[in-house]
Amino acid sequence: MTETLAEPTSPLQIPDYRRLWLARFLAVFSTISMVVLIGYQTYDVARDDYGMDPAAAAFMLGLLGLAQFVPLFLLTPLAGAAADRFDRRHVVLFANLADSAIALALGAITLLDAMTLPLLFVLAAAHGGARVFNGPALSAIAPNVVPPPLLPRAIALSSIAWQVGSVIGPAAGGGMFAVHASLPYFVSSAMLLVSGLLISRIRPVRALQEGPPAHPLKRITEGFSFVWKERFLLGCISLDLFAVLLGSATAMLPVFARDILQVGPEGLGIMRGAPAAGAALVALWLSFKPFNTNVGPKMLWAVVAFGAATGVCAVAQLLAFARPAGRARRGGHVLGVHPQFADPAQHARHDARAGIGDLGPGHLGLERTRRTARRAARGDHGRNGGGCHRRRGCDSRDRRLGRDFP
């Protein structure tokens, strides 16, 4: 006599969905922490290895964002078409393997202390391309493994996995980066491999085709046409577009973490995870008290409040960089270097006049060979080997001179 299997009452009772949930959490944890740390490392390398002032190093962060946006803009339609045409497990697995290799390359290059800005830009663009293919295919697997009645709860749980990964990933990555700059990249590489393995164990999932298969370019064109005709959907996407444009200001958080608040990568991870924590709390509140009236105006006011908060951060950064440079602290200036002196020789002459120390252009440590020689002389092999690089109270000038403090 055969037993009748009971219908699941929760998505978590379905083994495939449990694998999907854990795979999503691991993927988000890894990719978000990589995005945050690539930004911090870009700013760090620009300030230390290239001798840039804060304004020029912040501009490098803008270029980094552009390098990550270009593959997102170009490959998003192709990623959606791939998720509809091929087995979504294979698409996610391919994206995870590619991203794992990128994380491994970032970790190895950082460990060898051979990181440069061009390498960071190339690897960041490749990371952005891998994320493009991961997102649509991974999000579209849930309807294939969960019965329709449980789909709303499955989507809510998937959102929780994304938010939790977005909060914990940057904070944990920043802490690991403070221990050793290469550690979070190696951990992310391993977690992406585990995520891919979990996805590969889900039963085959492929979008159902109605009628003869259409050409991918035709499907992409039909998608754009549908969005343009559906005014409500177009409005939602446009609103989200402006919110994302305002949210791009978070790319400047490494400037706050290093030169304004001086909290290092650990502080950056906490700051970067704070927006996701706020989003998770609001989502939890809305699940109990959802908006039933005037939803559109409330969304618009939320975007206005978000923009105002972004403006406050911009004013804070402007005021911090406009501080008088003469107010010094032990071991250097308030911001590490004088922001108004972009030329190293001019900065050195100012320090000499101020009696801070003999800092000629030849001693600024902008050449990698001299920096490596100084590290070898004091037994510092790698970015984190010296006590000064990761401590508060010593500025970039002291790091370039190889000074350390007890």
Side-chain angles (χ1 to χ4, degrees), residues 338-353:
H338 293 282
Q340 63 267 38
F341 292 109
D343 178 29
Q346 187 181 4
H347 171 60
R349 288 193 296 271
H350 177 88
D351 279 352
R353 288 197 301 270

Side-chain angles (χ1 to χ4, degrees), residues 15-190:
D16 281 345
Y17 183 80
R18 291 199 298 269
R19 298 186 186 100
L20 174 64
W21 193 95
L22 184 57
R24 185 180 181 85
F25 169 76
L26 294 175
V28 171
F29 183 103
S30 304
T31 55
I32 298 296
S33 64
M34 285 174 63
V35 168
V36 174
L37 295 177
I38 288 173
Y40 185 86
Q41 194 170 15
T42 298
Y43 188 77
D44 203 37
V45 169
R47 295 280 276 114
D48 283 346
D49 297 351
Y50 289 81
M52 294 183 183
D53 68 309
F59 180 69
M60 292 297 106
L61 288 177
L63 293 181
L64 179 71
L66 179 63
Q68 293 174 317
F69 171 76
V70 170
L72 177 68
F73 178 75
L74 296 177
L75 298 178
T76 294
L78 298 178
D84 289 338
R85 189 176 183 86
F86 304 108
D87 190 329
R88 290 164 181 167
R89 300 176 308 156
H90 297 163
V91 176
V92 175
L93 181 60
F94 171 79
N96 278 7
L97 290 177
D99 215 8
S100 177
I102 295 166
L104 189 63
L106 283 165
I109 296 172
T110 302
L111 182 63
L112 296 174
D113 198 20
M115 188 61 74
T116 63
L117 287 180
L119 270 175
L120 276 168
F121 290 158
V122 170
L123 291 173
H127 174 59
R131 290 180 64 199
V132 169
F133 284 90
N134 188 307
L138 189 61
S139 300
I141 290 178
N144 298 111
V145 299
V146 175
L150 297 178
L151 189 56
R153 295 184 63 184
I155 294 175
L157 288 172
S158 294
S159 178
I160 291 175
W162 194 92
Q163 297 292 354
V164 171
S166 300
V167 174
I168 300 177
M176 289 186 287
F177 191 90
V179 174
H180 198 285
S182 63
L183 179 60
Y185 294 125
F186 290 130
V187 172
S188 294
S189 179

Side-chain angles (χ1 to χ4, degrees), residues 197-335:
L197 178 62
L198 289 169
I199 290 295
S200 67
R201 296 192 60 191
I202 297 176
R203 68 176 183 270
V205 288
R206 186 170 181 172
L208 297 177
Q209 298 287 343
E210 296 182 0
H215 193 277
L217 292 180
K218 183 180 179 181
R219 296 181 66 90
I220 293 173
T221 305
E222 291 175 349
F224 281 115
S225 177
F226 175 78
V227 171
W228 181 256
K229 292 178 181 178
E230 295 290 332
R231 297 301 181 183
F232 178 77
L233 183 59
L234 180 62
C236 293
I237 293 177
S238 301
L239 181 63
D240 186 63
L241 172 64
F242 284 105
V244 170
L245 289 176
L246 291 171
S248 62
T250 56
M252 295 295 109
L253 284 179
V255 183
F256 284 83
R258 171 173 162 143
D259 283 338
I260 297 178
L261 301 177
Q262 299 177 3
V263 293
E266 313 99 304
L268 173 63
I270 296 174
M271 287 191 292
R272 192 61 174 81
L281 291 175
V282 172
L284 182 62
W285 179 59
L286 290 176
S287 66
F288 291 99
K289 294 185 178 181
F291 292 149
N292 296 319
T293 58
N294 299 324
V295 177
K298 291 175 181 177
M299 290 178 63
L300 290 174
W301 279 113
V303 174
V304 170
F306 186 69
T310 304
V312 170
C313 291
V315 172
Q317 181 174 348
L318 182 64
L319 292 177
F321 282 175
R323 282 182 204 166
R327 182 160 56 92
R329 55 178 170 78
R330 189 186 91 168
H333 312 295
V334 174
L335 291 179

